[in-house]
Amino acid sequence: MEQPLHKTMVDPMLAEMGRNLNDAMKILENGQKEADEDSGQRRPSWRDIPGPLQGDGQDVASILQLVQNLMHDDEDKQSHRRMQYVGEQGHMALLGHSLAAYISVLDRDRLRKLTTRILSDTTLWLCRLFRYENGSVYYHEDDREGLVKVCRLVINARYEEYSTEGFTALSSKQPVIYQSAACRSGLGQHLCSQLGLPLSSLCTVPCNTMFGSQHQIDVALLDKLIKEDVDTGKVPLLLIANAGTPGAGHTDKLGRLKELCVQYNIWLHVEGVNLATLALGQVTSPVMAATKSDSMTLTPGPWLGLPAVPAVTLYRHEDPALSLAAGLTSSQPVEKLRALPLWLSLQYLGHDGIVQRIKNATQLSQQLLEHLKTLALIKTSVEDELNSPVVVFRFSQDTSAASSGGSLEGYFPGEKEVQDALNRWLGEELAQQVPSSGVDVVELEDEGTCVRFNPLMTAAVLGTQESDIKALVEKLTDVVPLLSSTLRFRQDFREEIHHQAALTYIEDLSWPGLGAIRYEPQCEQDDDNKRQQDVERINGDMLKKLMELDADISFSTGPEFGNETNCIYVGLATEDLDVAELVQTIAATGRDLEESSKLLENMTEVVRKGILEAEAQLQKANEEKLMEEGVLRQIPLVGSVLNWFSPTQMSIKGQTFSLVAGSLDSTESTYAMKTQTGTTPDTPTSTGKRLPGQKLFRRSAAGSDTYSETSSVGQAEEMPRETTPLPPASEEGVTEPPQEELATSDSSLPEVQRQPDGQESEVDSIR
């Protein structure tokens, strides 16, 4: 290995470039820390609005500050942001882009010599690292571009007239490209679009249905399809296989597919995340078969945590002219500089560092898989229990346990959709609570919605550690009982809603909770618009009141872009949820709001009529006063003289208007009692049987139930002997009898009857 150059021998321009890059990275990283610490939202400033280019220019610090503000916009959700972990190896990759721009200005001979060395070193390292002998390398930014260039190479090789006649050479014998149904979506369409081929040239082969993995291509069916195409005069051109499907991470039977491709002269191209394990000391035989393929695409950037490094396509072909025609090689030295960031990063990590990063990712998968095996109601879907880089799991509960009351007999409509909704919520919750784990939600054709852990693509980028796996398992342990309870109580909740005439159950299978309801006012309303307004107002007020309750269950307006409106969505349920009490409380809250609304409308009408009657009474009183005093006393000057000589003996009658009764009353009683009397309605108090600290809608334990029943029996026996009203119930729901009641108990009854004065006791008078 060559020894590094001494610092005194480094080109001053290169040294300054490295310092500038370090300074720029520090500024941007400090901006990231400040953005994470500042949770408040920043008001949009004039800098956020695009403007004209300044004439005098700006310094580097100002430009970096602008980049920092654009990168760390406070409007982003801080809790949901997953920034890539950029270590020193990432700085090397970023330095490679700066060096590429600097090297490109060298003279042509020095540039050719340098790019040839960079390309030769990187090709040798990658081929040895991933066990691909005698291979060539194509570097590309888009990870699909390598497949496009390889397919163009195969077309040039199979159609000799293609270089001169173009697409007319394909008209006589149509080429066919085969891909698995488990390939990433849109890959085949993109390939046909870039090559100018019709979609009829793309053949999607289904996966296994009877034997083997349901994510592997059906080899027998592929053989049958190829024979049919050959018999019809078509040219089987290329087969796209997977070493780690995009969804579940399964590997096709590459050995059998290679034999089939050799038989029909088909180019075999392999891609997938499991190709990273080729760098390990022990490789499974299905993945090892990928080394015999004609080409394969690697993505070392996410595997090794290297930002802005190109994807790599390794291929084998003996004709350099066809490779040049297909665009896999270039005579331009600048094009070869694409490998420079990867060349620097691989040297920085070294062979051991690269292997250790990939090995660490596979170990994280095994650790999570071992923990998931111990969790009930969690079903895993992995290709190999002993060595599976990708772990896919989901919450799954048998339908026989779907209802606590036995209202279901092993099935209820929409169960699969409901479990998919719960798993979708589970994946989003885990990604939000443990962002460093890198889990995401994936939709699989057979399993449905699942949670995927793919550390080969995320661990090096996010810096996933073993502690993140433990946090993920702890969160799963807390959340799975909620999902199980919700699935069990969902049908019970629906049946309880049907028993309430004013409540309507809204079917929304995509909601991860008990369900959605709507309160329908019971009053008859001819005007549909007025009724719709009442529904919207009552359900809105209901939601506010329910959200204020001290309960473990949540209430919301539902999905942001949902189809249903004026609904109340009930969230996940706990194990001790009392569904009947929950529904009764919701119905009672709606009835109270509806009655309050009716009372307000009636009171408004009563007050309006009372005001009219009061105005009429006041007008009548003024007329009586005029008749009694005479017209002359109403004249200002004359009336004063008459009142001086002959004062009137009249009593002033005050009046007050009662808003409650809507009537005009006299104030004589008010001034006589020197106080304003009125009746204040009593506020009903809750007499629930909740224990201290117990939240709403929870079923009480056996001991607390017995205690409440005994207390209620004792109260029932003492009520017939009581002569005075009982005081309000205490918070515990147990009423303490007053001192007078103790004097009339059974134990003191004989003493009361033997009073010396012979007076009748209070008990006798009651009897």
Side-chain angles (χ1 to χ4, degrees):
M1 179 179 293
E2 298 182 0
Q3 298 295 329
L5 298 177
H6 296 288
K7 294 183 178 180
T8 56
M9 300 178 61
V10 176
D11 188 340
M13 288 294 296
L14 296 180
E16 183 180 359
M17 186 182 304
R19 288 193 298 268
N20 292 338
L21 178 63
N22 290 332
D23 294 340
M25 291 300 300
K26 289 180 180 179
I27 293 176
L28 298 179
E29 289 176 353
N30 291 336
Q32 167 65 20
K33 295 178 181 178
E34 294 175 0
D36 291 339
E37 295 174 358
D38 185 12
S39 58
Q41 288 193 352
R42 174 175 55 86
R43 293 183 178 181
S45 63
W46 63 272
R47 294 181 181 273
D48 298 326
I49 304 175
L53 181 65
Q54 297 185 12
D56 53 353
Q58 302 184 55
D59 55 9
V60 177
S62 300
I63 297 175
L64 289 177
Q65 184 65 38
L66 175 61
V67 175
Q68 171 185 318
N69 295 337
L70 296 176
M71 287 173 57
H72 310 302
D73 190 359
D74 290 341
E75 294 180 359
D76 294 340
K77 295 182 179 179
Q78 301 288 338
S79 59
H80 224 52
R81 184 188 303 168
R82 299 196 302 191
M83 295 295 294
Q84 177 170 344
Y85 172 75
V86 182
E88 292 190 9
Q89 77 280 357
H91 291 184
M92 294 299 297
L94 299 177
L95 179 62
H97 291 274
S98 301
L99 284 176
Y102 174 71
I103 294 174
S104 63
V105 300
L106 297 176
D107 60 85
R108 191 173 185 85
D109 293 337
R110 296 176 62 185
L111 178 60
R112 182 183 295 107
K113 181 180 179 180
L114 181 58
T115 54
T116 302
R117 171 64 185 274
I118 293 173
L119 197 62
S120 300
D121 286 347
T122 312
T123 301
L124 177 62
W125 297 339
L126 290 174
C127 289
R128 288 185 177 181
L129 189 64
F130 295 100
R131 307 169 187 263
Y132 201 80
E133 299 178 357
N134 301 324
S136 301
V137 182
Y138 173 65
Y139 304 92
H140 45 96
E141 301 298 331
D142 189 347
D143 57 1
R144 302 172 299 180
E145 186 64 22
L147 177 59
V148 174
K149 296 298 177 64
V150 164
C151 192
R152 185 172 285 119
L153 170 65
V154 180
I155 292 177
N156 280 276
R158 297 293 299 274
Y159 294 87
E160 296 180 358
E161 302 85 5
Y162 181 77
S163 58
T164 56
E165 298 182 6
F167 295 105
T168 57
L170 308 178
S171 58
S172 58
K173 293 184 178 182
Q174 181 181 0
V176 181
I177 300 173
Y178 303 91
Q179 70 168 0
S180 170
C183 283
R184 45 180 168 164
S185 60
L187 179 62
Q189 289 79 357
H190 174 78
L191 188 60
C192 292
S193 174
Q194 295 298 313
L195 297 174
L197 298 177
L199 291 179
S200 58
S201 296
L202 180 64
C203 178
T204 301
V205 184
C207 296
N208 296 324
T209 57
M210 298 296 294
F211 305 101
S213 171
Q214 296 179 346
H215 302 279
Q216 293 178 346
I217 190 171
D218 192 335
V219 180
L221 181 58
L222 173 63
D223 189 6
K224 179 182 178 181
L225 293 174
I226 294 176
K227 290 180 179 179
E228 293 178 354
D229 291 335
V230 172
D231 294 340
T232 56
K234 297 181 180 179
V235 178
L237 197 67
L238 181 139
L239 170 63
I240 306 173
N242 291 298
T245 55
H250 291 205
T251 301
D252 290 326
K253 298 177 181 179
L254 300 179
R256 180 71 181 91
L257 293 177
K258 179 60 180 176
E259 296 175 359
L260 203 62
C261 290
V262 171
Q263 178 182 352
Y264 292 101
N265 192 20
I266 300 176
W267 184 284
L268 177 61
H269 179 82
V270 182
E271 63 177 22
V273 67
N274 292 349
L275 292 175
T277 60
L278 289 172
L280 301 178
Q282 296 180 353
V283 186
T284 59
S285 56
V287 179
M288 181 62 75
T291 60
K292 304 301 181 181
S293 63
D294 298 297
S295 61
M296 61 182 184
T297 298
L298 312 176
T299 54
W303 296 350
L304 305 177
L306 303 176
V309 298
V312 177
T313 295
L314 305 179
Y315 66 96
R316 295 189 184 97
H317 200 267
E318 298 177 355
D319 191 347
L322 293 181
S323 299
L324 181 62
L328 288 170
T329 58
S330 175
S331 60
Q332 299 296 327
V334 179
E335 293 290 332
K336 300 179 182 180
L337 288 176
R338 290 181 180 178
L340 182 57
L342 191 58
W343 182 72
L344 294 174
S345 301
L346 293 178
Q347 291 185 87
Y348 182 84
L349 290 174
H351 182 275
D352 295 340
I354 296 172
V355 173
Q356 183 59 38
R357 286 177 177 268
I358 297 175
K359 184 178 180 180
N360 176 66
T362 57
Q363 289 176 349
L364 291 175
S365 295
Q366 293 304 311
Q367 292 173 7
L368 178 61
L369 184 59
E370 292 298 325
H371 286 295
L372 293 178
K373 291 179 181 178
T374 63
L375 296 180
L377 305 180
I378 292 296
K379 181 181 179 181
T380 59
S381 176
V382 294
E383 183 180 17
D384 187 358
E385 294 286 344
L386 301 178
N387 189 4
S388 179
V390 181
V391 178
V392 175
F393 62 93
R394 73 190 308 265
F395 164 77
S396 179
Q397 182 168 279
D398 294 337
T399 55
S400 58
S403 176
S404 62
S407 56
L408 295 180
E409 296 181 357
Y411 174 78
F412 68 90
E415 182 209 0
K416 184 179 184 301
E417 289 80 1
V418 173
Q419 292 202 17
D420 286 344
L422 294 176
N423 280 282
R424 189 176 301 108
W425 177 89
L426 174 63
E428 295 173 354
E429 183 72 8
L430 293 177
Q432 183 177 3
Q433 296 298 327
V434 194
S436 298
S437 64
V439 296
D440 60 351
V441 179
V442 61
E443 301 286 344
L444 300 180
E445 183 177 357
D446 297 315
E447 291 85 350
T449 304
C450 300
V451 183
R452 178 179 56 188
F453 179 63
N454 190 2
L456 281 173
M457 297 296 293
T458 60
V461 172
L462 301 176
T464 309
Q465 303 294 332
E466 185 177 354
S467 58
D468 298 318
I469 302 300
K470 295 181 179 179
L472 195 67
V473 175
E474 291 177 358
K475 186 63 180 177
L476 269 173
T477 306
D478 297 337
V479 169
V480 167
L482 296 178
L483 302 180
S484 176
S485 302
T486 302
L487 192 60
R488 287 191 293 111
F489 291 137
R490 189 176 176 103
Q491 185 67 10
D492 297 339
F493 179 75
R494 179 175 184 173
E495 293 179 356
E496 289 290 341
I497 291 296
H498 290 162
H499 296 160
Q500 300 289 337
L503 296 180
T504 302
Y505 183 84
I506 307 300
E507 189 70 53
D508 191 350
L509 300 177
S510 63
W511 172 248
L514 288 179
I517 59 172
R518 180 185 294 120
Y519 185 87
E520 302 286 350
Q522 298 303 294
C523 60
E524 297 182 359
Q525 185 65 255
D526 297 334
D527 190 356
D528 293 339
N529 294 332
K530 180 65 168 57
R531 181 177 179 82
Q532 185 65 22
Q533 293 176 2
D534 292 342
V535 171
E536 181 178 358
R537 176 176 49 79
I538 292 178
N539 283 275
D541 295 341
M542 279 180 61
L543 178 60
K544 294 179 181 178
K545 286 187 172 294
L546 293 175
M547 293 175 65
E548 295 173 356
L549 297 178
D550 183 18
D552 290 329
I553 199 165
S554 62
F555 303 91
S556 66
T557 56
E560 183 177 0
F561 302 102
N563 297 326
E564 299 292 341
T565 58
N566 302 328
C567 297
I568 299 176
Y569 283 79
V570 186
L572 299 177
T574 56
E575 295 178 343
D576 54 355
L577 176 66
D578 192 335
V579 179
E581 180 185 356
L582 170 63
V583 175
Q584 292 173 4
T585 302
I586 296 175
T589 304
R591 286 194 298 268
D592 293 343
L593 291 173
E594 184 180 6
E595 293 174 359
S596 300
S597 176
K598 292 180 181 178
L599 179 61
L600 182 61
E601 294 178 356
N602 295 336
M603 182 179 295
T604 303
E605 183 65 20
V606 170
V607 170
R608 187 184 65 82
K609 293 181 179 179
I611 291 175
L612 296 178
E613 294 178 359
E615 291 178 350
Q617 293 181 16
L618 291 175
Q619 181 66 26
K620 183 178 180 181
N622 291 333
E623 294 176 357
E624 292 177 354
K625 179 181 178 182
L626 179 63
M627 295 299 297
E628 183 177 354
E629 295 179 354
V631 179
L632 293 178
R633 291 185 183 272
Q634 309 303 319
I635 302 175
L637 184 60
V638 178
S640 299
V641 175
L642 291 177
N643 290 333
W644 175 265
F645 289 103
S646 178
T648 58
Q649 303 295 329
M650 293 184 59
S651 61
I652 301 176
K653 297 180 180 180
Q655 293 177 317
T656 177
F657 183 76
S658 175
L659 290 176
V660 178
S663 60
L664 194 67
D665 302 328
S666 176
T667 59
E668 294 180 359
S669 59
T670 302
Y671 289 103
M673 301 296 297
K674 300 297 182 65
T675 181
Q676 185 172 358
T677 61
T679 58
T680 303
D682 296 334
T683 302
T685 58
S686 176
T687 59
K689 300 179 181 179
R690 283 194 296 158
L691 298 176
Q694 181 181 355
K695 295 189 177 183
L696 288 173
F697 316 133
R698 282 190 172 183
R699 294 193 301 271
S700 302
S704 60
D705 291 342
T706 305
Y707 178 77
S708 301
E709 293 174 0
T710 307
S711 302
S712 61
V713 172
Q715 295 174 14
E717 293 177 353
E718 295 173 357
M719 282 300 294
R721 301 191 182 99
E722 184 59 44
T723 58
T724 58
L726 291 174
S730 62
E731 294 180 358
E732 291 79 357
V734 180
T735 305
E736 297 180 2
Q739 296 297 330
E740 296 178 1
E741 181 183 351
L742 296 177
T744 61
S745 62
D746 295 339
S747 60
S748 60
L749 184 58
E751 297 181 2
V752 175
Q753 292 176 346
R754 291 195 300 269
Q755 292 181 357
D757 54 2
Q759 296 179 355
E760 186 182 16
S761 66
E762 184 180 1
V763 177
D764 294 335
S765 62
I766 295 176
R767 293 176 179 174

